[in-house]
Amino acid sequence: MDPLLSERNASLNYQPYATTLVGAIEPCMTNRNLLHPTTPKRLSINVADDQLKRRIGSKTVLNAAFDELVRWCDAAVHTGWKMEVVNQGGGDFRFYKYLKKARPELAENIPFVSFHSHEEVFEYYKTVTVAASSRGHGMMILFGVQCATISLIMHEKVASFISDIGHPEWGVDMDPSRREARNSSGIADDLMRVLNYIDNNRALVHRQMLHAQANLMAVTANNMHRFDKDVEQRAKTLLAAPSSQ
């Protein structure tokens, strides 16, 4: 390895995104629906529209993955879940359009949810029972408010987050090229297995989320303790600098 690269890496410190810590910092913003679900139970799904070719490849591959997501929606609805498709990124329309074209009678009973502010995003995820997303930062928000999550793994960012928190079992790979059969077959079944596991082990999953979030808080506290004097000195230097106005 390049000595300069090695030296740079040695000086880096892992720091979790602030959104992954929301529930630990502000308990009033945490999800209550996992332990005390509404009737019917609510399952949301968000499929990121941006850079889909880079996330999962060709249109043929994408459509095969979408077919499996439609199968999953159908299975979830038929086992008592209230499905909702979420427009979390502001332009996440493609999967919902695909669903309406492929299964219009199913889509009639699956609302499309959009947000007008960041506050609405947090408030919404406090009220669902389980949420699935292919958006990296979207997953971090869900985890941050202690909402049970299913990662739709279309790219490395989503996979790396659930690996970082120690729970890769909360994700399903959507890329056929990385799956054992080298095709999309079985994606819907895998998603249903993860959903059923969460549904049947709610208290355990909730404890696992709290433990993982506590670990991230510990990392953050250690970083604050380590760098507090440097930050304080930097702030004093900035405040002492002549104003440009």
Side-chain angles (χ1 to χ4, degrees):
M1 179 182 286
D2 186 319
L4 290 177
L5 185 61
S6 179
E7 182 179 344
R8 187 197 69 181
N9 289 344
S11 68
L12 294 176
N13 287 270
Y14 171 70
Q15 171 55 44
Y17 270 95
T19 46
T20 65
L21 306 173
V22 169
I25 297 171
E26 291 287 352
C28 64
M29 296 184 69
T30 55
N31 178 284
R32 296 288 187 268
N33 209 299
L34 177 63
L35 295 181
H36 307 285
T38 54
T39 302
K41 300 166 290 189
R42 292 175 64 193
L43 170 63
S44 74
I45 177 172
N46 166 248
V47 181
D49 254 20
D50 55 301
Q51 303 184 52
L52 267 175
K53 285 188 177 180
R54 291 183 61 186
R55 291 176 188 271
I56 202 168
S58 70
K59 184 177 180 179
T60 301
V61 173
L62 178 64
N63 287 348
F66 276 8
D67 283 338
E68 289 295 299
L69 286 175
V70 171
R71 281 187 59 223
W72 182 43
C73 290
D74 187 43
V77 167
H78 279 87
T79 52
W81 289 86
K82 181 181 184 296
M83 286 289 309
E84 298 168 0
V85 177
V86 175
N87 174 22
Q88 190 169 324
D92 298 336
F93 303 109
R94 191 175 305 188
F95 172 66
Y96 193 63
K97 289 179 179 178
Y98 191 92
L99 172 66
K100 288 199 296 183
K101 184 175 181 180
R103 294 286 306 278
E105 79 290 352
L106 178 63
E108 281 184 5
N109 298 308
I110 299 179
F112 186 67
V113 180
S114 292
F115 307 111
H116 300 95
S117 68
H118 293 102
E119 289 78 12
E120 285 188 11
V121 175
F122 285 106
E123 286 300 319
Y124 173 78
Y125 284 118
K126 286 166 56 178
T127 65
V128 300
T129 316
V130 180
S133 179
S134 68
R135 188 174 291 282
H137 196 232
M139 293 304 305
M140 297 177 196
I141 292 172
L142 307 180
F143 173 82
V145 298
Q146 299 168 11
C147 175
T149 62
I150 300 175
S151 296
L152 308 176
I153 302 172
M154 291 187 177
H155 62 107
E156 182 56 32
K157 187 177 180 181
V158 177
S160 63
F161 175 67
I162 55 175
S163 177
D164 285 348
I165 62 174
H167 290 284
E169 73 277 11
W170 293 345
V172 173
D173 205 323
M174 305 294 293
D175 187 340
S177 68
R178 294 193 298 258
R179 293 179 62 82
E180 187 175 348
R182 295 294 186 270
N183 59 47
S184 61
S185 175
I187 288 177
D189 297 331
D190 289 347
L191 288 167
M192 204 65 207
R193 274 192 287 272
V194 177
L195 179 61
N196 286 336
Y197 175 81
I198 293 172
D199 194 26
N200 294 326
N201 297 276
R202 296 176 190 208
L204 172 62
V205 170
H206 185 254
R207 288 196 303 271
Q208 290 173 333
M209 282 193 294
L210 295 184
H211 180 72
Q213 194 169 62
N215 287 338
L216 298 186
M217 278 293 287
V219 170
T220 301
N222 184 63
N223 286 342
M224 292 176 71
H225 178 72
R226 180 175 180 179
F227 296 112
D228 62 345
K229 294 193 181 302
D230 291 337
V231 173
E232 181 182 8
Q233 184 57 50
R234 179 61 176 158
K236 289 179 178 178
T237 301
L238 291 172
L239 288 171
S243 173
S244 60
Q245 296 181 348

